[in-house]
């Protein structure tokens, strides 16, 4: 389900009208997140660390309303829920697109996301996911500890979905950290909202 924002009363109306005209309206930030507790929890539970931090990210994004905004023509739509469209790496060095439904209960998400992961790994080609607009585009680059990242985009396609990337996890002094990049449409949100998401993401990673 989704609803249309009343732009006449939206405090960011001027920001929307300004940034939506840009050829490149996306801004990005890259931070290190502490995944010590989340990694230990995944290993103790015997489940995928990737799917666990992906679920934590979706939890934080769904709790941060601007991450559920999408541009549709002259409207801004707010979806009740958003889901994940992550790339899945294959043993042959290629990747495929996938689609994973968000669910507030991790065991439920894990079952369906694990099946989708295996489906893509056993396939070939990109396997485009018919995911629609209510997704976040995720990439995992576990071989590189990056400090910034840029995404390939088709500027002729009206895209307002956030793009997120995760990099190589490293351990130092008993703590595990991982780079996390967030790119979002500036007509829909600002750095303040990205900071809200990042704070909630870290809280989810730290939760017992």
């Amino acid at each position: 389900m989704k609803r249309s924002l009343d732009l006449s009363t939206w405090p960011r109306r001027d920001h929307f009208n300004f940034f939506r005209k840009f050829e490149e309206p996306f801004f990005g930030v890259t931070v290190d997140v502490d995944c010590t507790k989340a990694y230990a929890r995944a290993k103790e539970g015997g489940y995928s660390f990737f799917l666990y931090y992906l679920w934590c990210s979706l939890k934080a994004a769904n709790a941060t309303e601007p991450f559920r905004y999408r541009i549709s023509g002259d409207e801004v739509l707010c979806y009740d829920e958003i889901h994940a469209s992550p790339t899945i790496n294959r043993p042959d060095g290629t990747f495929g697109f996938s689609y994973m439904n968000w669910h507030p209960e991790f065991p439920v998400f894990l079952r369906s996301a694990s099946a989708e992961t295996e489906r893509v790994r056993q396939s070939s080609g990109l396997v485009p996911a018919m995911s629609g607009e209510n997704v976040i585009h995720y990439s995992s680059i576990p071989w590189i500890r990056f400090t910034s990242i840029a995404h390939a985009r088709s500027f002729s396609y009206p895209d307002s979905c956030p793009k997120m990337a995760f990099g190589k996890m490293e351990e130092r002094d008993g703590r595990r950290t991982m780079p996390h990049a967030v790119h979002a449409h500036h007509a829909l949100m600002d750095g303040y909202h990205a900071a809200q998401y990042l704070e909630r993401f870290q809280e989810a990673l730290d939760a017992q």
Side-chain angles (χ1 to χ4, degrees), residues 18 43 52 74 80 99 120 134 137 191:
F18 180 72
K43 291 307 173 185
Y52 184 60
D74 293 327
D80 292 343
Y99 176 77
V120 176
N134 61 331
H137 297 143

Side-chain angles (χ1 to χ4, degrees), residues 19-195:
F19 285 110
R20 67 179 301 203
K21 299 173 184 176
F22 281 33
E23 289 80 6
E24 172 52 293
F26 278 72
F27 73 96
V29 296
T30 301
V31 301
D32 281 341
V33 294
D34 189 323
C35 51
T36 308
K37 294 180 181 179
Y39 182 78
R41 190 173 304 110
K43 291 307 173 185
E44 290 169 4
Y47 47 77
S48 165
F49 174 54
F50 165 67
L51 292 180
Y52 184 60
Y53 71 65
L54 184 67
W55 177 80
C56 290
S57 173
L58 278 175
K59 180 180 181 180
N62 272 286
T64 310
E65 185 171 297
F67 280 82
R68 294 186 276 116
Y69 293 165
R70 299 294 182 271
I71 299 173
S72 178
D74 293 327
E75 290 186 295
V76 175
L77 303 178
C78 179
Y79 284 87
D80 292 343
E81 292 182 335
I82 50 173
H83 309 285
S85 182
T87 57
I88 301 298
N89 299 316
R90 300 192 182 101
D92 65 0
T94 66
F95 70 86
F97 295 122
S98 67
Y99 176 77
M100 300 176 182
N101 277 314
W102 154 249
H103 196 282
E105 305 239 349
F106 175 65
V108 178
F109 173 82
L110 179 63
R111 283 195 295 272
S112 61
S114 296
E116 174 69 351
T117 299
E118 187 61 23
R119 181 189 72 80
V120 176
R121 282 180 176 162
Q122 296 300 319
S123 65
S124 60
L126 283 176
V127 194
M130 301 302 292
S131 55
E133 292 294 315
N134 61 331
V135 296
I136 291 176
H137 297 143
Y138 286 100
S139 297
S140 178
I141 312 172
W143 317 278
I144 302 172
R145 184 171 182 80
F146 55 77
T147 56
S148 65
I149 192 170
H151 294 273
R153 291 209 308 117
S154 173
F155 290 103
S156 62
Y157 181 76
D159 179 17
S160 58
C161 296
K163 289 94 176 56
M164 298 192 186
F166 303 95
K168 181 180 181 180
M169 180 179 62
E170 290 186 347
E171 183 177 8
R172 181 176 298 177
D173 298 327
R175 308 299 297 177
R176 293 180 181 270
T177 60
M178 177 176 63
H180 179 34
V182 180
H183 285 71
H185 201 298
H186 215 342
L188 299 178
M189 71 177 82
D190 306 313
Y192 171 75
H193 307 104

Side-chain angles (χ1 to χ4, degrees), residues 7 10 12-22 74 187:
L7 299 185
W10 190 28
R12 295 195 71 264
R13 177 185 59 192
D14 290 346
H15 303 70
F16 171 72
N17 290 327
F18 180 72
F19 285 110
R20 67 179 301 203
K21 299 173 184 176
F22 281 33
D74 293 327

